[in-house]
PDB file of all heavy atoms in Angstrom:
ATOM      1  N   HIS A   1      40.283 168.304 122.782  1.00  0.00           N
ATOM      2  CA  HIS A   1      39.436 169.260 122.062  1.00  0.00           C
ATOM      3  C   HIS A   1      39.521 170.670 122.622  1.00  0.00           C
ATOM      4  O   HIS A   1      39.039 171.607 121.977  1.00  0.00           O
ATOM      5  CB  HIS A   1      37.975 168.790 122.084  1.00  0.00           C
ATOM      6  CG  HIS A   1      37.751 167.467 121.412  1.00  0.00           C
ATOM      7  ND1 HIS A   1      38.269 167.168 120.164  1.00  0.00           N
ATOM      8  CD2 HIS A   1      37.076 166.359 121.815  1.00  0.00           C
ATOM      9  CE1 HIS A   1      37.914 165.936 119.823  1.00  0.00           C
ATOM     10  NE2 HIS A   1      37.209 165.426 120.809  1.00  0.00           N
ATOM     11  N   GLY A   2      40.104 170.819 123.801  1.00  0.00           N
ATOM     12  CA  GLY A   2      40.296 172.150 124.361  1.00  0.00           C
ATOM     13  C   GLY A   2      38.992 172.903 124.541  1.00  0.00           C
ATOM     14  O   GLY A   2      38.058 172.429 125.189  1.00  0.00           O
ATOM     15  N   ALA A   3      38.918 174.104 123.964  1.00  0.00           N
ATOM     16  CA  ALA A   3      37.757 174.980 124.130  1.00  0.00           C
ATOM     17  C   ALA A   3      36.648 174.701 123.119  1.00  0.00           C
ATOM     18  O   ALA A   3      35.608 175.376 123.141  1.00  0.00           O
ATOM     19  CB  ALA A   3      38.193 176.441 124.032  1.00  0.00           C
ATOM     20  N   ASP A   4      36.837 173.732 122.240  1.00  0.00           N
ATOM     21  CA  ASP A   4      35.820 173.406 121.237  1.00  0.00           C
ATOM     22  C   ASP A   4      34.742 172.530 121.886  1.00  0.00           C
ATOM     23  O   ASP A   4      34.727 171.301 121.730  1.00  0.00           O
ATOM     24  CB  ASP A   4      36.467 172.682 120.051  1.00  0.00           C
ATOM     25  CG  ASP A   4      35.513 172.545 118.873  1.00  0.00           C
ATOM     26  OD1 ASP A   4      34.335 172.939 119.008  1.00  0.00           O
ATOM     27  OD2 ASP A   4      35.936 172.051 117.803  1.00  0.00           O
ATOM     28  N   LEU A   5      33.820 173.155 122.593  1.00  0.00           N
ATOM     29  CA  LEU A   5      32.822 172.428 123.379  1.00  0.00           C
ATOM     30  C   LEU A   5      31.864 171.609 122.522  1.00  0.00           C
ATOM     31  O   LEU A   5      31.264 170.643 123.007  1.00  0.00           O
ATOM     32  CB  LEU A   5      32.022 173.399 124.243  1.00  0.00           C
ATOM     33  CG  LEU A   5      32.792 174.164 125.323  1.00  0.00           C
ATOM     34  CD1 LEU A   5      31.835 175.006 126.154  1.00  0.00           C
ATOM     35  CD2 LEU A   5      33.553 173.214 126.226  1.00  0.00           C
ATOM     36  N   ASP A   6      31.696 171.970 121.256  1.00  0.00           N
ATOM     37  CA  ASP A   6      30.766 171.242 120.395  1.00  0.00           C
ATOM     38  C   ASP A   6      31.195 169.793 120.183  1.00  0.00           C
ATOM     39  O   ASP A   6      30.371 168.945 119.829  1.00  0.00           O
ATOM     40  CB  ASP A   6      30.632 171.949 119.041  1.00  0.00           C
ATOM     41  CG  ASP A   6      29.941 173.300 119.164  1.00  0.00           C
ATOM     42  OD1 ASP A   6      29.150 173.464 120.115  1.00  0.00           O
ATOM     43  OD2 ASP A   6      30.190 174.184 118.323  1.00  0.00           O
ATOM     44  N   LYS A   7      32.471 169.502 120.383  1.00  0.00           N
ATOM     45  CA  LYS A   7      32.973 168.145 120.188  1.00  0.00           C
ATOM     46  C   LYS A   7      32.944 167.313 121.469  1.00  0.00           C
ATOM     47  O   LYS A   7      33.329 166.148 121.452  1.00  0.00           O
ATOM     48  CB  LYS A   7      34.411 168.186 119.641  1.00  0.00           C
ATOM     49  CG  LYS A   7      34.528 168.787 118.250  1.00  0.00           C
ATOM     50  CD  LYS A   7      35.972 168.754 117.766  1.00  0.00           C
ATOM     51  CE  LYS A   7      36.097 169.324 116.362  1.00  0.00           C
ATOM     52  NZ  LYS A   7      37.507 169.316 115.879  1.00  0.00           N
ATOM     53  N   TYR A   8      32.477 167.903 122.556  1.00  0.00           N
ATOM     54  CA  TYR A   8      32.506 167.204 123.839  1.00  0.00           C
ATOM     55  C   TYR A   8      31.424 166.125 123.910  1.00  0.00           C
ATOM     56  O   TYR A   8      30.320 166.283 123.381  1.00  0.00           O
ATOM     57  CB  TYR A   8      32.314 168.205 124.987  1.00  0.00           C
ATOM     58  CG  TYR A   8      33.590 168.903 125.405  1.00  0.00           C
ATOM     59  CD1 TYR A   8      34.479 169.415 124.456  1.00  0.00           C
ATOM     60  CD2 TYR A   8      33.915 169.046 126.749  1.00  0.00           C
ATOM     61  CE1 TYR A   8      35.637 170.063 124.846  1.00  0.00           C
ATOM     62  CE2 TYR A   8      35.081 169.704 127.149  1.00  0.00           C
ATOM     63  CZ  TYR A   8      35.928 170.203 126.187  1.00  0.00           C
ATOM     64  OH  TYR A   8      37.087 170.840 126.570  1.00  0.00           O
ATOM     65  N   ASP A   9      31.740 165.048 124.600  1.00  0.00           N
ATOM     66  CA  ASP A   9      30.870 163.881 124.689  1.00  0.00           C
ATOM     67  C   ASP A   9      29.592 164.148 125.471  1.00  0.00           C
ATOM     68  O   ASP A   9      28.548 163.562 125.188  1.00  0.00           O
ATOM     69  CB  ASP A   9      31.644 162.726 125.335  1.00  0.00           C
ATOM     70  CG  ASP A   9      30.851 161.443 125.426  1.00  0.00           C
ATOM     71  OD1 ASP A   9      30.806 160.709 124.427  1.00  0.00           O
ATOM     72  OD2 ASP A   9      30.265 161.161 126.495  1.00  0.00           O
ATOM     73  N   HIS A  10      29.646 165.033 126.458  1.00  0.00           N
ATOM     74  CA  HIS A  10      28.492 165.194 127.344  1.00  0.00           C
ATOM     75  C   HIS A  10      27.283 165.812 126.663  1.00  0.00           C
ATOM     76  O   HIS A  10      26.173 165.743 127.202  1.00  0.00           O
ATOM     77  CB  HIS A  10      28.886 166.013 128.587  1.00  0.00           C
ATOM     78  CG  HIS A  10      29.130 167.461 128.313  1.00  0.00           C
ATOM     79  ND1 HIS A  10      30.259 167.913 127.685  1.00  0.00           N
ATOM     80  CD2 HIS A  10      28.402 168.566 128.615  1.00  0.00           C
ATOM     81  CE1 HIS A  10      30.221 169.231 127.599  1.00  0.00           C
ATOM     82  NE2 HIS A  10      29.110 169.651 128.154  1.00  0.00           N
ATOM     83  N   HIS A  11      27.463 166.403 125.473  1.00  0.00           N
ATOM     84  CA  HIS A  11      26.308 166.934 124.749  1.00  0.00           C
ATOM     85  C   HIS A  11      25.454 165.800 124.181  1.00  0.00           C
ATOM     86  O   HIS A  11      24.227 165.914 124.110  1.00  0.00           O
ATOM     87  CB  HIS A  11      26.773 167.856 123.628  1.00  0.00           C
ATOM     88  CG  HIS A  11      27.475 169.089 124.117  1.00  0.00           C
ATOM     89  ND1 HIS A  11      26.918 169.953 125.035  1.00  0.00           N
ATOM     90  CD2 HIS A  11      28.699 169.593 123.831  1.00  0.00           C
ATOM     91  CE1 HIS A  11      27.762 170.940 125.284  1.00  0.00           C
ATOM     92  NE2 HIS A  11      28.847 170.741 124.581  1.00  0.00           N
ATOM     93  N   ASP A  12      26.113 164.711 123.773  1.00  0.00           N
ATOM     94  CA  ASP A  12      25.385 163.559 123.239  1.00  0.00           C
ATOM     95  C   ASP A  12      24.960 162.586 124.339  1.00  0.00           C
ATOM     96  O   ASP A  12      23.913 161.940 124.237  1.00  0.00           O
ATOM     97  CB  ASP A  12      26.263 162.811 122.222  1.00  0.00           C
ATOM     98  CG  ASP A  12      26.590 163.660 121.003  1.00  0.00           C
ATOM     99  OD1 ASP A  12      25.691 164.395 120.549  1.00  0.00           O
ATOM    100  OD2 ASP A  12      27.740 163.590 120.517  1.00  0.00           O
ATOM    101  N   PHE A  13      25.788 162.475 125.386  1.00  0.00           N
ATOM    102  CA  PHE A  13      25.507 161.548 126.482  1.00  0.00           C
ATOM    103  C   PHE A  13      25.646 162.292 127.806  1.00  0.00           C
ATOM    104  O   PHE A  13      26.646 162.153 128.507  1.00  0.00           O
ATOM    105  CB  PHE A  13      26.460 160.353 126.420  1.00  0.00           C
ATOM    106  CG  PHE A  13      26.428 159.623 125.104  1.00  0.00           C
ATOM    107  CD1 PHE A  13      27.361 159.891 124.109  1.00  0.00           C
ATOM    108  CD2 PHE A  13      25.440 158.680 124.855  1.00  0.00           C
ATOM    109  CE1 PHE A  13      27.327 159.222 122.904  1.00  0.00           C
ATOM    110  CE2 PHE A  13      25.403 157.998 123.641  1.00  0.00           C
ATOM    111  CZ  PHE A  13      26.345 158.273 122.653  1.00  0.00           C
ATOM    112  N   PRO A  14      24.629 163.106 128.163  1.00  0.00           N
ATOM    113  CA  PRO A  14      24.732 163.958 129.355  1.00  0.00           C
ATOM    114  C   PRO A  14      24.596 163.227 130.675  1.00  0.00           C
ATOM    115  O   PRO A  14      24.968 163.759 131.716  1.00  0.00           O
ATOM    116  CB  PRO A  14      23.571 164.944 129.174  1.00  0.00           C
ATOM    117  CG  PRO A  14      22.568 164.175 128.366  1.00  0.00           C
ATOM    118  CD  PRO A  14      23.366 163.301 127.447  1.00  0.00           C
ATOM    119  N   GLY A  15      24.075 162.001 130.657  1.00  0.00           N
ATOM    120  CA  GLY A  15      23.845 161.280 131.901  1.00  0.00           C
ATOM    121  C   GLY A  15      22.527 161.685 132.535  1.00  0.00           C
ATOM    122  O   GLY A  15      21.821 162.585 132.059  1.00  0.00           O
ATOM    123  N   VAL A  16      22.193 161.044 133.638  1.00  0.00           N
ATOM    124  CA  VAL A  16      20.916 161.303 134.314  1.00  0.00           C
ATOM    125  C   VAL A  16      20.916 162.684 134.951  1.00  0.00           C
ATOM    126  O   VAL A  16      19.926 163.416 134.894  1.00  0.00           O
ATOM    127  CB  VAL A  16      20.658 160.221 135.383  1.00  0.00           C
ATOM    128  CG1 VAL A  16      19.357 160.491 136.120  1.00  0.00           C
ATOM    129  CG2 VAL A  16      20.615 158.835 134.745  1.00  0.00           C
ATOM    130  N   VAL A  17      22.031 163.051 135.571  1.00  0.00           N
ATOM    131  CA  VAL A  17      22.183 164.364 136.189  1.00  0.00           C
ATOM    132  C   VAL A  17      23.530 164.951 135.753  1.00  0.00           C
ATOM    133  O   VAL A  17      24.475 164.211 135.490  1.00  0.00           O
ATOM    134  CB  VAL A  17      22.133 164.275 137.736  1.00  0.00           C
ATOM    135  CG1 VAL A  17      20.722 164.004 138.216  1.00  0.00           C
ATOM    136  CG2 VAL A  17      23.082 163.212 138.250  1.00  0.00           C
ATOM    137  N   PRO A  18      23.629 166.262 135.663  1.00  0.00           N
ATOM    138  CA  PRO A  18      24.907 166.869 135.275  1.00  0.00           C
ATOM    139  C   PRO A  18      25.953 166.715 136.365  1.00  0.00           C
ATOM    140  O   PRO A  18      25.632 166.732 137.553  1.00  0.00           O
ATOM    141  CB  PRO A  18      24.551 168.345 135.049  1.00  0.00           C
ATOM    142  CG  PRO A  18      23.349 168.573 135.918  1.00  0.00           C
ATOM    143  CD  PRO A  18      22.581 167.281 135.896  1.00  0.00           C
ATOM    144  N   ARG A  19      27.192 166.565 135.952  1.00  0.00           N
ATOM    145  CA  ARG A  19      28.305 166.447 136.884  1.00  0.00           C
ATOM    146  C   ARG A  19      29.264 167.609 136.679  1.00  0.00           C
ATOM    147  O   ARG A  19      29.336 168.203 135.603  1.00  0.00           O
ATOM    148  CB  ARG A  19      29.038 165.126 136.673  1.00  0.00           C
ATOM    149  CG  ARG A  19      28.253 163.893 137.124  1.00  0.00           C
ATOM    150  CD  ARG A  19      28.097 163.867 138.633  1.00  0.00           C
ATOM    151  NE  ARG A  19      27.452 162.643 139.102  1.00  0.00           N
ATOM    152  CZ  ARG A  19      27.171 162.395 140.370  1.00  0.00           C
ATOM    153  NH1 ARG A  19      27.511 163.284 141.294  1.00  0.00           N
ATOM    154  NH2 ARG A  19      26.575 161.274 140.725  1.00  0.00           N
ATOM    155  N   THR A  20      30.031 167.905 137.705  1.00  0.00           N
ATOM    156  CA  THR A  20      30.988 169.000 137.613  1.00  0.00           C
ATOM    157  C   THR A  20      32.181 168.637 136.736  1.00  0.00           C
ATOM    158  O   THR A  20      32.609 167.483 136.687  1.00  0.00           O
ATOM    159  CB  THR A  20      31.485 169.419 139.007  1.00  0.00           C
ATOM    160  OG1 THR A  20      32.431 170.488 138.872  1.00  0.00           O
ATOM    161  CG2 THR A  20      32.152 168.259 139.728  1.00  0.00           C
ATOM    162  N   PHE A  21      32.714 169.629 136.059  1.00  0.00           N
ATOM    163  CA  PHE A  21      33.913 169.459 135.243  1.00  0.00           C
ATOM    164  C   PHE A  21      35.183 169.811 136.011  1.00  0.00           C
ATOM    165  O   PHE A  21      36.290 169.647 135.476  1.00  0.00           O
ATOM    166  CB  PHE A  21      33.836 170.362 133.997  1.00  0.00           C
ATOM    167  CG  PHE A  21      33.124 169.737 132.839  1.00  0.00           C
ATOM    168  CD1 PHE A  21      31.747 169.778 132.750  1.00  0.00           C
ATOM    169  CD2 PHE A  21      33.828 169.110 131.823  1.00  0.00           C
ATOM    170  CE1 PHE A  21      31.076 169.216 131.678  1.00  0.00           C
ATOM    171  CE2 PHE A  21      33.174 168.534 130.741  1.00  0.00           C
ATOM    172  CZ  PHE A  21      31.793 168.586 130.669  1.00  0.00           C
ATOM    173  N   ILE A  22      35.056 170.293 137.230  1.00  0.00           N
ATOM    174  CA  ILE A  22      36.220 170.831 137.934  1.00  0.00           C
ATOM    175  C   ILE A  22      37.262 169.759 138.204  1.00  0.00           C
ATOM    176  O   ILE A  22      38.468 169.983 138.004  1.00  0.00           O
ATOM    177  CB  ILE A  22      35.776 171.528 139.235  1.00  0.00           C
ATOM    178  CG1 ILE A  22      34.998 172.797 138.895  1.00  0.00           C
ATOM    179  CG2 ILE A  22      36.977 171.857 140.116  1.00  0.00           C
ATOM    180  CD1 ILE A  22      34.415 173.520 140.080  1.00  0.00           C
ATOM    181  N   GLY A  23      36.844 168.582 138.631  1.00  0.00           N
ATOM    182  CA  GLY A  23      37.806 167.506 138.862  1.00  0.00           C
ATOM    183  C   GLY A  23      38.506 167.103 137.582  1.00  0.00           C
ATOM    184  O   GLY A  23      39.734 166.942 137.546  1.00  0.00           O
ATOM    185  N   SER A  24      37.737 166.953 136.514  1.00  0.00           N
ATOM    186  CA  SER A  24      38.315 166.586 135.213  1.00  0.00           C
ATOM    187  C   SER A  24      39.259 167.671 134.709  1.00  0.00           C
ATOM    188  O   SER A  24      40.303 167.370 134.124  1.00  0.00           O
ATOM    189  CB  SER A  24      37.196 166.356 134.198  1.00  0.00           C
ATOM    190  OG  SER A  24      36.320 165.337 134.626  1.00  0.00           O
ATOM    191  N   LEU A  25      38.883 168.920 134.933  1.00  0.00           N
ATOM    192  CA  LEU A  25      39.725 170.036 134.504  1.00  0.00           C
ATOM    193  C   LEU A  25      41.063 170.026 135.234  1.00  0.00           C
ATOM    194  O   LEU A  25      42.128 170.228 134.632  1.00  0.00           O
ATOM    195  CB  LEU A  25      38.981 171.345 134.765  1.00  0.00           C
ATOM    196  CG  LEU A  25      39.518 172.615 134.108  1.00  0.00           C
ATOM    197  CD1 LEU A  25      39.489 172.508 132.596  1.00  0.00           C
ATOM    198  CD2 LEU A  25      38.692 173.817 134.564  1.00  0.00           C
ATOM    199  N   PHE A  26      41.025 169.752 136.532  1.00  0.00           N
ATOM    200  CA  PHE A  26      42.255 169.730 137.330  1.00  0.00           C
ATOM    201  C   PHE A  26      43.151 168.564 136.924  1.00  0.00           C
ATOM    202  O   PHE A  26      44.368 168.738 136.747  1.00  0.00           O
ATOM    203  CB  PHE A  26      41.907 169.640 138.812  1.00  0.00           C
ATOM    204  CG  PHE A  26      43.098 169.754 139.719  1.00  0.00           C
ATOM    205  CD1 PHE A  26      43.729 170.961 139.909  1.00  0.00           C
ATOM    206  CD2 PHE A  26      43.593 168.633 140.370  1.00  0.00           C
ATOM    207  CE1 PHE A  26      44.836 171.066 140.739  1.00  0.00           C
ATOM    208  CE2 PHE A  26      44.697 168.719 141.210  1.00  0.00           C
ATOM    209  CZ  PHE A  26      45.319 169.943 141.392  1.00  0.00           C
ATOM    210  N   ILE A  27      42.573 167.385 136.751  1.00  0.00           N
ATOM    211  CA  ILE A  27      43.358 166.224 136.341  1.00  0.00           C
ATOM    212  C   ILE A  27      43.934 166.438 134.947  1.00  0.00           C
ATOM    213  O   ILE A  27      45.089 166.074 134.675  1.00  0.00           O
ATOM    214  CB  ILE A  27      42.504 164.949 136.375  1.00  0.00           C
ATOM    215  CG1 ILE A  27      41.997 164.683 137.799  1.00  0.00           C
ATOM    216  CG2 ILE A  27      43.295 163.747 135.863  1.00  0.00           C
ATOM    217  CD1 ILE A  27      43.087 164.502 138.823  1.00  0.00           C
ATOM    218  N   SER A  28      43.162 167.042 134.064  1.00  0.00           N
ATOM    219  CA  SER A  28      43.656 167.326 132.708  1.00  0.00           C
ATOM    220  C   SER A  28      44.840 168.273 132.744  1.00  0.00           C
ATOM    221  O   SER A  28      45.821 168.091 132.014  1.00  0.00           O
ATOM    222  CB  SER A  28      42.529 167.924 131.858  1.00  0.00           C
ATOM    223  OG  SER A  28      41.441 167.041 131.755  1.00  0.00           O
ATOM    224  N   GLY A  29      44.740 169.302 133.594  1.00  0.00           N
ATOM    225  CA  GLY A  29      45.851 170.243 133.705  1.00  0.00           C
ATOM    226  C   GLY A  29      47.115 169.584 134.210  1.00  0.00           C
ATOM    227  O   GLY A  29      48.213 169.828 133.691  1.00  0.00           O
ATOM    228  N   CYS A  30      46.973 168.702 135.204  1.00  0.00           N
ATOM    229  CA  CYS A  30      48.141 167.992 135.736  1.00  0.00           C
ATOM    230  C   CYS A  30      48.687 166.977 134.737  1.00  0.00           C
ATOM    231  O   CYS A  30      49.895 166.697 134.713  1.00  0.00           O
ATOM    232  CB  CYS A  30      47.770 167.285 137.044  1.00  0.00           C
ATOM    233  SG  CYS A  30      47.318 168.389 138.400  1.00  0.00           S
ATOM    234  N   SER A  31      47.806 166.412 133.912  1.00  0.00           N
ATOM    235  CA  SER A  31      48.217 165.373 132.960  1.00  0.00           C
ATOM    236  C   SER A  31      48.761 165.948 131.655  1.00  0.00           C
ATOM    237  O   SER A  31      49.425 165.227 130.902  1.00  0.00           O
ATOM    238  CB  SER A  31      47.016 164.468 132.629  1.00  0.00           C
ATOM    239  OG  SER A  31      46.439 163.930 133.773  1.00  0.00           O
ATOM    240  N   PHE A  32      48.469 167.214 131.376  1.00  0.00           N
ATOM    241  CA  PHE A  32      48.764 167.797 130.066  1.00  0.00           C
ATOM    242  C   PHE A  32      50.203 167.590 129.600  1.00  0.00           C
ATOM    243  O   PHE A  32      50.435 167.130 128.473  1.00  0.00           O
ATOM    244  CB  PHE A  32      48.411 169.287 130.076  1.00  0.00           C
ATOM    245  CG  PHE A  32      48.667 169.966 128.765  1.00  0.00           C
ATOM    246  CD1 PHE A  32      47.804 169.807 127.700  1.00  0.00           C
ATOM    247  CD2 PHE A  32      49.798 170.773 128.593  1.00  0.00           C
ATOM    248  CE1 PHE A  32      48.045 170.439 126.478  1.00  0.00           C
ATOM    249  CE2 PHE A  32      50.048 171.396 127.391  1.00  0.00           C
ATOM    250  CZ  PHE A  32      49.179 171.231 126.326  1.00  0.00           C
ATOM    251  N   PRO A  33      51.218 167.908 130.410  1.00  0.00           N
ATOM    252  CA  PRO A  33      52.596 167.720 129.912  1.00  0.00           C
ATOM    253  C   PRO A  33      52.928 166.269 129.605  1.00  0.00           C
ATOM    254  O   PRO A  33      53.650 165.984 128.632  1.00  0.00           O
ATOM    255  CB  PRO A  33      53.466 168.273 131.037  1.00  0.00           C
ATOM    256  CG  PRO A  33      52.591 168.299 132.250  1.00  0.00           C
ATOM    257  CD  PRO A  33      51.213 168.511 131.748  1.00  0.00           C
ATOM    258  N   PHE A  34      52.397 165.340 130.393  1.00  0.00           N
ATOM    259  CA  PHE A  34      52.664 163.916 130.151  1.00  0.00           C
ATOM    260  C   PHE A  34      51.971 163.439 128.880  1.00  0.00           C
ATOM    261  O   PHE A  34      52.541 162.664 128.094  1.00  0.00           O
ATOM    262  CB  PHE A  34      52.189 163.093 131.351  1.00  0.00           C
ATOM    263  CG  PHE A  34      52.801 163.505 132.665  1.00  0.00           C
ATOM    264  CD1 PHE A  34      52.048 164.192 133.602  1.00  0.00           C
ATOM    265  CD2 PHE A  34      54.129 163.226 132.949  1.00  0.00           C
ATOM    266  CE1 PHE A  34      52.603 164.586 134.806  1.00  0.00           C
ATOM    267  CE2 PHE A  34      54.699 163.610 134.161  1.00  0.00           C
ATOM    268  CZ  PHE A  34      53.929 164.290 135.084  1.00  0.00           C
ATOM    269  N   VAL A  35      50.760 163.915 128.655  1.00  0.00           N
ATOM    270  CA  VAL A  35      50.022 163.530 127.452  1.00  0.00           C
ATOM    271  C   VAL A  35      50.681 164.117 126.216  1.00  0.00           C
ATOM    272  O   VAL A  35      50.782 163.454 125.167  1.00  0.00           O
ATOM    273  CB  VAL A  35      48.552 163.979 127.564  1.00  0.00           C
ATOM    274  CG1 VAL A  35      47.817 163.789 126.244  1.00  0.00           C
ATOM    275  CG2 VAL A  35      47.844 163.217 128.678  1.00  0.00           C
ATOM    276  N   GLN A  36      51.147 165.360 126.315  1.00  0.00           N
ATOM    277  CA  GLN A  36      51.828 165.975 125.172  1.00  0.00           C
ATOM    278  C   GLN A  36      53.092 165.201 124.813  1.00  0.00           C
ATOM    279  O   GLN A  36      53.389 164.970 123.630  1.00  0.00           O
ATOM    280  CB  GLN A  36      52.172 167.431 125.485  1.00  0.00           C
ATOM    281  CG  GLN A  36      50.971 168.353 125.570  1.00  0.00           C
ATOM    282  CD  GLN A  36      50.189 168.402 124.264  1.00  0.00           C
ATOM    283  OE1 GLN A  36      49.067 167.894 124.188  1.00  0.00           O
ATOM    284  NE2 GLN A  36      50.768 168.977 123.239  1.00  0.00           N
ATOM    285  N   PHE A  37      53.833 164.780 125.816  1.00  0.00           N
ATOM    286  CA  PHE A  37      55.040 163.993 125.568  1.00  0.00           C
ATOM    287  C   PHE A  37      54.686 162.640 124.963  1.00  0.00           C
ATOM    288  O   PHE A  37      55.373 162.151 124.060  1.00  0.00           O
ATOM    289  CB  PHE A  37      55.825 163.805 126.862  1.00  0.00           C
ATOM    290  CG  PHE A  37      57.086 163.000 126.701  1.00  0.00           C
ATOM    291  CD1 PHE A  37      58.204 163.554 126.093  1.00  0.00           C
ATOM    292  CD2 PHE A  37      57.146 161.687 127.146  1.00  0.00           C
ATOM    293  CE1 PHE A  37      59.367 162.810 125.923  1.00  0.00           C
ATOM    294  CE2 PHE A  37      58.306 160.934 126.998  1.00  0.00           C
ATOM    295  CZ  PHE A  37      59.420 161.494 126.371  1.00  0.00           C
ATOM    296  N   ALA A  38      53.596 162.042 125.460  1.00  0.00           N
ATOM    297  CA  ALA A  38      53.153 160.751 124.927  1.00  0.00           C
ATOM    298  C   ALA A  38      52.797 160.869 123.448  1.00  0.00           C
ATOM    299  O   ALA A  38      53.145 159.994 122.638  1.00  0.00           O
ATOM    300  CB  ALA A  38      51.954 160.245 125.732  1.00  0.00           C
ATOM    301  N   LYS A  39      52.108 161.940 123.087  1.00  0.00           N
ATOM    302  CA  LYS A  39      51.760 162.141 121.672  1.00  0.00           C
ATOM    303  C   LYS A  39      53.013 162.390 120.841  1.00  0.00           C
ATOM    304  O   LYS A  39      53.115 161.937 119.695  1.00  0.00           O
ATOM    305  CB  LYS A  39      50.785 163.315 121.536  1.00  0.00           C
ATOM    306  CG  LYS A  39      49.403 163.024 122.109  1.00  0.00           C
ATOM    307  CD  LYS A  39      48.373 164.064 121.680  1.00  0.00           C
ATOM    308  CE  LYS A  39      48.592 165.382 122.350  1.00  0.00           C
ATOM    309  NZ  LYS A  39      47.498 166.353 122.039  1.00  0.00           N
ATOM    310  N   PHE A  40      53.984 163.078 121.422  1.00  0.00           N
ATOM    311  CA  PHE A  40      55.223 163.389 120.702  1.00  0.00           C
ATOM    312  C   PHE A  40      56.010 162.131 120.350  1.00  0.00           C
ATOM    313  O   PHE A  40      56.597 162.032 119.270  1.00  0.00           O
ATOM    314  CB  PHE A  40      56.084 164.330 121.551  1.00  0.00           C
ATOM    315  CG  PHE A  40      57.424 164.644 120.953  1.00  0.00           C
ATOM    316  CD1 PHE A  40      57.546 165.518 119.879  1.00  0.00           C
ATOM    317  CD2 PHE A  40      58.585 164.052 121.458  1.00  0.00           C
ATOM    318  CE1 PHE A  40      58.794 165.806 119.322  1.00  0.00           C
ATOM    319  CE2 PHE A  40      59.824 164.317 120.908  1.00  0.00           C
ATOM    320  CZ  PHE A  40      59.920 165.201 119.835  1.00  0.00           C
ATOM    321  N   ILE A  41      56.003 161.143 121.253  1.00  0.00           N
ATOM    322  CA  ILE A  41      56.771 159.914 120.990  1.00  0.00           C
ATOM    323  C   ILE A  41      55.918 158.835 120.321  1.00  0.00           C
ATOM    324  O   ILE A  41      56.373 157.708 120.130  1.00  0.00           O
ATOM    325  CB  ILE A  41      57.385 159.355 122.294  1.00  0.00           C
ATOM    326  CG1 ILE A  41      56.302 158.957 123.307  1.00  0.00           C
ATOM    327  CG2 ILE A  41      58.355 160.360 122.898  1.00  0.00           C
ATOM    328  CD1 ILE A  41      56.859 158.319 124.571  1.00  0.00           C
ATOM    329  N   GLY A  42      54.679 159.199 119.957  1.00  0.00           N
ATOM    330  CA  GLY A  42      53.873 158.303 119.154  1.00  0.00           C
ATOM    331  C   GLY A  42      53.013 157.309 119.916  1.00  0.00           C
ATOM    332  O   GLY A  42      52.554 156.317 119.329  1.00  0.00           O
TER     333      GLY A  42
END
């Protein structure tokens, strides 16, 4: 969903306490080329 925050899951299910997005952001950045290739090959 990229920058479209309205589609993010945490708005509907925020959890008991808020958590940082920094770890998820870093893993997403490292995973991005592999995920793009995965989508390309179906």
Side-chain angles (χ1 to χ4, degrees):
H1 298 313
D4 190 356
L5 296 184
D6 292 334
K7 295 182 179 179
Y8 277 45
D9 182 83
H10 71 285
H11 295 306
D12 296 321
F13 304 97
V16 179
V17 287
R19 289 292 185 182
T20 179
F21 273 84
I22 291 176
S24 301
L25 194 62
F26 186 73
I27 299 300
S28 300
C30 295
S31 305
F32 181 77
F34 303 107
V35 171
Q36 290 300 110
F37 180 74
K39 291 193 289 186
F40 176 75
I41 62 176

